[in-house]
Amino acid sequence: MVNMELFSEPTLTRESVEAVIDLAKKFKKEKGRIPVFMEVCGSHTMALAKTGIKTRLKDYVHLIAGPGCPVCVTDQKSIDAMIQLSEESNTILCTFGDMMRVPGSKFTLMKAKTDGKDIRVVYSPLDSVKIAEENPDKEVIFLGIGFETTIPILALAVREATRKELKNYSIWMTTKLVEPVLRVLLSSGDVKLDGFLLPGQVSIVIGKQSYRYLAEEFDISGVITGFEPVQLLSGIYKLLHLLLEKRVKILNDYTYVVSDEGNVVAQNLIEEYLETHDEAWRGIGTIPKSGLVLKEQYALYDAKKKFKISIGEPRVTKCRCGEIVRGLITPEECVLFNKGCTPTHPIGPCMVSTEGTCAAHYHFMREV
Amino acid sequence: MQRISLAHGEGGELTHQLIQDIFIQSFGHSEQTQFDSAILAIPSQTIAVTTDSYVVKPIFFPGGNIGKLAITGTVNDLAVSGAIPHVITSGFIIEEGFPIKSLKEIVNTMAWEAERAGVNIIAGDTKVVEKGSVDGLFINTTGIGVMQKQHRLKPEAIREGDSVIISGTIGDHGVAILSARNELGLLTDVKSDCASLNHLIHELLEEIKGIRIMRDPTRGGLATALVELCEDFRITVEVDEASVPVRKDVQGACDILGYDPLYLANEGKVVIIVDSNDKQKALDILKNHEMGKDASVIGQITSCHIQSGKLLLKTAVGTTRRLNRLSGQLLPRIC
């Protein structure tokens, strides 16, 4: 059993910070600039801001938040669709808590719930299956968002619904895969990176080997890391070491939960129920084969096939979340940040999710 | 199972029965309640009054129920103001169909908690509304306390270097409620800290002259209570993150759900600003008491009489970040 408390021990944390700063200074002396790393995962973004690491390192290491917050990259049309579906009298919509406050074109799911629509926050897709079982006269629709971490549980929910022979359950699939979006980011050349802090939770499912393309095709290193202060600092330290030694590698710094091959059972579940599909990313656009949808034999559980609704183009705002999730700008560079857009009145999804870059800046890095 | 019907709220025989069988049984019928109003002899020129409504869901949770919460909440509001709680009134809004057994249990808990806190329940009201109009049972309580001259709090005396103390672990109530909603499936042991703190607070105020101000960090948690203190008294408070006591299982639940224990509700904790010369004495009194055994000095006042007060948190890496009020509703994150 790993003693997790060690990873947030204050003395060790402060020593780790100093070690990182020493290496970063060496890098700056050699290259004449500070290194740029991207944390792919929204939970890393939040943890780096909350622990003060981002603030402490800002003069030595540039940490950019990547596209790994599932709420932030959920296409606005999906929210509009869910709100439209909630207006049907016999539906119960189920969603994860974060989604409730993400603005659609007109309003949020929270507002729809306040207006009397039956929308429920659940902690697992399996809870929504239970709700379907308990409400046979209602159509229960789950808003299926998330990356590889959550996707296997969506497949499990479909397996459970099949086992229970439910006819009133479906998922509005809008899942995302990490590899296609990283490929798009790196190919576009919009943002110059020296390395990735790779997502701990996603890696549990897909395994270390799935990142080989970063080193082999894009000549960039990555370290899979955990979420405690010392773990995050260790990841940054190792990236700096690789840079200084001019080596390109994918390292696993989270070995007690992430294996080389990942979680094969979860991978098999995905394989059995889902297939790749072109997916729309909020603020980025459609990326070929960047999401997963239910295979044809499970079409009964695919809400997009079950309910024919027409959704218009989403309302355009001055929100720059699209550029923020691609690491092109910081939240402060958005004209709406902390003015029109706050966690209480979010305009874009990055301000909604606790994992969103703007929310992390607002809560943890605004006005020290 | 016997249930509340609309007739229980019509003011007739059934209402009478309900009052006799449940409320009078538990709360008693003192001389003070012989008229349409309770007639009180208040032994002071200065009294403290507070009112609050309780709508907690679920009504029964690990460590308490809505009735216990209604008494402790009102008692603590009076106590942290430096008042000795004397009497409480309670108004019930009950949903048609509510089990009478549950009502009895809640009322008994209230009576027991009131006795423990040394307060009398002296007036009440019962309304029954149609099914669906309320979620089971709502309770409103009003409390009256007597201000003790020697207990007068002195926020005007707050100065740089004063210490900030919390009487125990934070976030227990918030996590207990989440757990009781049965939505997590992984939490079983965390109990609400819901408790009347008036005796403990009384002892502190009797023994320590350097107490400047106290708050009970309920909704919005410790962070929101401290932000309010900072703004009200135009001070900067710096809290050391590592010294804030959080139970391991509460922290674990927060990590999983993306909550911050600093913002989770507490129902049996008090935050105290005290002259640093008195901090050890205060800590000793707290630690000697069952409800203060996990007390900790969590920070200090770093500036006073500033234009706008602020709360700062010193992180493990040595940086300082500002804490603000809870923004919006707490919602669980997804992964």
Side-chain angles (χ1 to χ4, degrees):
Chain A
M1 186 70 187
V2 179
N3 178 9
M4 297 303 286
E5 274 177 53
L6 185 69
F7 296 122
S8 51
E9 207 276 313
T11 313
L12 195 56
T13 305
R14 277 193 286 273
E15 282 169 8
S16 307
V17 166
E18 294 314 313
V20 165
I21 289 174
D22 281 349
L23 272 195
K25 280 179 179 167
K26 265 189 207 166
F27 179 91
K28 192 178 177 185
K29 202 170 171 188
E30 274 184 23
K31 304 274 182 185
R33 64 178 180 85
I34 67 172
V36 183
F37 300 140
M38 175 177 273
E39 77 272 7
V40 178
C41 168
S43 297
H44 276 162
T45 300
M46 201 263 288
L48 286 165
K50 188 175 177 186
T51 53
I53 291 173
K54 212 159 192 166
T55 305
R56 182 73 181 95
L57 295 183
K58 71 176 183 339
D59 296 330
Y60 309 99
V61 178
H62 189 193
L63 293 165
I64 297 180
C69 161
V71 174
C72 303
V73 292
T74 296
D75 185 31
Q76 208 169 339
K77 282 186 181 176
S78 289
I79 314 270
D80 289 343
M82 290 299 278
I83 289 171
Q84 206 172 314
L85 283 170
S86 76
E87 282 159 5
E88 311 247 339
S89 60
N90 70 329
T91 58
I92 299 173
L93 298 189
C94 297
T95 178
F96 293 125
D98 291 32
M99 295 308 299
M100 293 296 283
R101 285 189 287 126
V102 180
S105 292
K106 288 181 190 156
F107 47 85
T108 62
L109 287 165
M110 183 78 90
K111 167 81 166 53
K113 182 176 168 66
T114 310
D115 290 345
K117 308 297 181 273
D118 197 346
I119 303 173
R120 304 182 190 182
V121 171
V122 293
Y123 291 79
S124 159
L126 293 170
D127 295 340
S128 61
V129 177
K130 202 170 159 209
I131 291 170
E133 196 180 8
E134 287 164 359
N135 295 273
D137 55 331
K138 297 266 188 179
E139 281 291 338
V140 174
I141 309 157
F142 182 74
L143 176 52
I145 74 159
F147 282 90
E148 285 93 334
T149 326
T150 329
I151 293 170
I153 314 170
L154 295 173
L156 262 185
V158 173
R159 187 168 82 178
E160 194 66 3
T162 313
R163 195 178 66 79
K164 292 181 170 166
E165 297 178 353
L166 297 179
K167 302 273 186 286
N168 63 329
Y169 181 74
S170 58
I171 301 179
W172 187 279
M173 290 291 276
T174 175
T175 56
K176 307 285 187 291
L177 300 171
V178 168
E179 182 177 335
V181 74
L182 289 190
R183 283 181 177 277
V184 165
L185 267 181
L186 291 166
S187 305
S188 73
D190 287 340
V191 54
K192 301 281 180 229
L193 298 172
D194 293 305
F196 284 105
L197 283 179
L198 295 168
Q201 289 142 330
V202 163
S203 304
I204 294 171
V205 175
I206 65 177
K208 178 191 160 190
Q209 63 178 9
S210 62
Y211 298 109
R212 287 211 309 248
Y213 65 97
L214 292 176
E216 289 170 3
E217 297 177 42
F218 294 96
D219 200 28
I220 191 164
S221 296
V223 178
I224 299 166
T225 186
F227 301 86
E228 297 296 328
V230 174
Q231 295 173 318
L232 290 162
L233 288 161
S234 168
I236 298 168
Y237 184 88
K238 285 180 177 163
L239 280 176
L240 281 165
H241 237 292
L242 289 171
L243 276 177
L244 286 165
E245 290 178 355
K246 298 185 175 54
R247 288 194 298 145
V248 175
K249 283 195 85 161
I250 303 300
L251 298 178
N252 182 2
D253 210 15
Y254 205 28
T255 46
Y256 37 92
V257 283
V258 174
S259 63
D260 275 7
E261 71 278 11
N263 182 338
V264 179
V265 175
Q267 290 165 11
N268 289 343
L269 257 177
I270 293 175
E271 182 78 15
E272 186 180 343
Y273 288 92
L274 303 157
E275 60 192 12
T276 55
H277 181 78
D278 299 349
E279 186 64 37
W281 295 59
R282 189 164 185 151
I284 297 177
T286 298
I287 302 176
K289 295 188 172 179
S290 65
L292 291 169
V293 290
L294 287 163
K295 287 181 175 172
E296 193 51 42
Q297 64 259 45
Y298 303 107
L300 172 67
Y301 301 108
D302 186 337
K304 286 183 184 170
K305 288 180 179 155
K306 199 168 182 181
F307 302 96
K308 296 292 170 211
I309 54 171
S310 62
I311 320 150
E313 281 307 304
R315 185 170 66 96
V316 178
T317 68
K318 286 182 181 167
C319 168
R320 297 180 72 184
C321 283
E323 291 158 273
I324 287 166
V325 295
R326 284 180 286 157
L328 303 181
I329 64 163
T330 62
E332 288 88 348
E333 289 175 79
C334 174
V335 70
L336 299 173
F337 181 77
N338 196 18
K339 293 183 181 80
C341 184
T342 63
T344 318
H345 297 288
I347 291 175
C350 291
M351 188 59 95
V352 173
S353 171
T354 48
E355 298 175 22
T357 312
C358 295
H361 265 70
Y362 183 93
H363 287 300
F364 307 125
M365 295 174 70
R366 183 172 52 109
E367 197 187 338
V368 174
Chain B
M1 188 194 296
Q2 273 188 297
R3 291 182 182 274
I4 295 288
S5 72
L6 281 175
H8 278 111
E10 294 295 337
E13 186 59 31
L14 273 178
T15 308
H16 180 70
Q17 253 180 34
L18 187 72
I19 291 168
Q20 288 298 323
D21 294 351
I22 294 184
F23 296 104
I24 303 288
Q25 283 283 333
S26 296
F27 297 164
H29 194 291
S30 69
E31 286 179 9
Q32 292 157 327
T33 57
Q34 286 172 342
F35 301 95
D36 267 7
S37 307
I39 311 296
L40 306 177
I42 303 256
S44 170
Q45 293 295 312
T46 313
I47 61 166
V49 181
T50 183
T51 191
D52 216 335
S53 297
Y54 298 85
V55 295
V56 65
K57 185 181 175 182
I59 284 167
F60 293 89
F61 49 83
N65 61 45
I66 191 170
K68 184 176 183 188
L69 209 56
I71 298 297
T72 60
T74 300
V75 163
N76 292 344
D77 278 347
L78 292 169
V80 294
S81 310
I84 295 198
H86 264 244
V87 292
I88 284 180
T89 70
S90 60
F92 289 75
I93 298 175
I94 310 168
E95 184 185 24
E96 174 190 16
F98 192 77
I100 288 180
K101 194 175 164 229
S102 302
L103 180 64
K104 272 186 181 161
E105 192 177 338
I106 289 162
V107 169
N108 281 337
T109 310
M110 288 176 79
W112 186 81
E113 189 61 37
E115 194 183 336
R116 211 161 72 137
V119 295
N120 283 325
I121 298 170
I122 46 105
D125 174 50
T126 309
K127 295 284 185 293
V128 178
V129 294
E130 276 178 22
K131 197 159 183 63
S133 298
V134 294
D135 196 354
L137 171 72
F138 295 165
I139 301 176
N140 171 270
T141 47
T142 295
I144 299 176
V146 176
M147 295 300 291
Q148 300 295 98
K149 249 190 190 153
Q150 71 275 24
H151 289 182
R152 195 178 75 79
L153 295 164
K154 304 171 194 71
E156 67 280 2
I158 295 176
R159 59 171 180 258
E160 270 183 44
D162 281 354
S163 300
V164 182
I165 296 177
I166 181 80
S167 64
T169 54
I170 58 164
D172 301 12
H173 178 73
V175 168
I177 291 292
L178 284 171
S179 161
R181 283 182 189 164
N182 218 5
E183 290 164 341
L184 309 183
L186 73 165
L187 303 166
T188 49
D189 292 339
V190 183
K191 284 197 173 91
S192 167
D193 56 355
C194 174
S196 298
L197 299 174
N198 55 323
H199 299 310
L200 173 62
I201 288 171
H202 183 81
E203 194 180 337
L204 282 168
L205 289 169
E206 284 283 303
E207 297 294 327
I208 296 167
K209 300 299 159 214
I211 293 182
R212 319 289 197 203
I213 191 81
M214 292 184 288
R215 286 277 158 94
D216 55 339
T218 52
R219 266 186 314 175
L222 176 63
T224 304
L226 283 172
V227 167
E228 282 169 4
L229 280 175
C230 290
E231 289 177 1
D232 289 353
F233 302 108
R234 297 188 293 131
I235 53 177
T236 301
V237 168
E238 193 171 301
V239 167
D240 179 9
E241 192 173 25
S243 62
V244 179
V246 184
R247 281 171 56 120
K248 272 187 196 171
D249 41 10
V250 168
Q251 186 63 59
C254 286
D255 287 346
I256 290 165
L257 299 168
Y259 289 155
D260 188 341
L262 287 168
Y263 289 95
L264 284 181
N266 311 279
E267 291 295 343
K269 297 290 152 34
V270 55
V271 58
I272 305 157
I273 294 180
V274 63
D275 186 328
S276 62
N277 292 319
D278 288 330
K279 76 173 174 200
Q280 193 53 50
K281 197 174 171 190
L283 214 50
D284 291 344
I285 292 172
L286 284 160
K287 283 181 173 292
N288 223 354
H289 199 282
E290 174 58 23
M291 285 161 203
K293 60 181 173 20
D294 297 317
S296 171
V297 176
I298 56 168
Q300 59 177 339
I301 312 300
T302 55
S303 59
C304 289
H305 312 300
I306 50 176
Q307 202 162 15
S308 56
K310 59 183 170 184
L311 174 63
L312 301 175
L313 186 77
K314 204 169 169 196
T315 66
V317 297
T319 57
T320 308
R321 63 179 168 88
R322 185 169 180 178
L323 293 179
N324 296 284
R325 279 191 170 78
L326 175 66
S327 341
Q329 187 186 350
L330 279 172
L331 289 168
R333 71 156 193 253
I334 75 147
C335 77

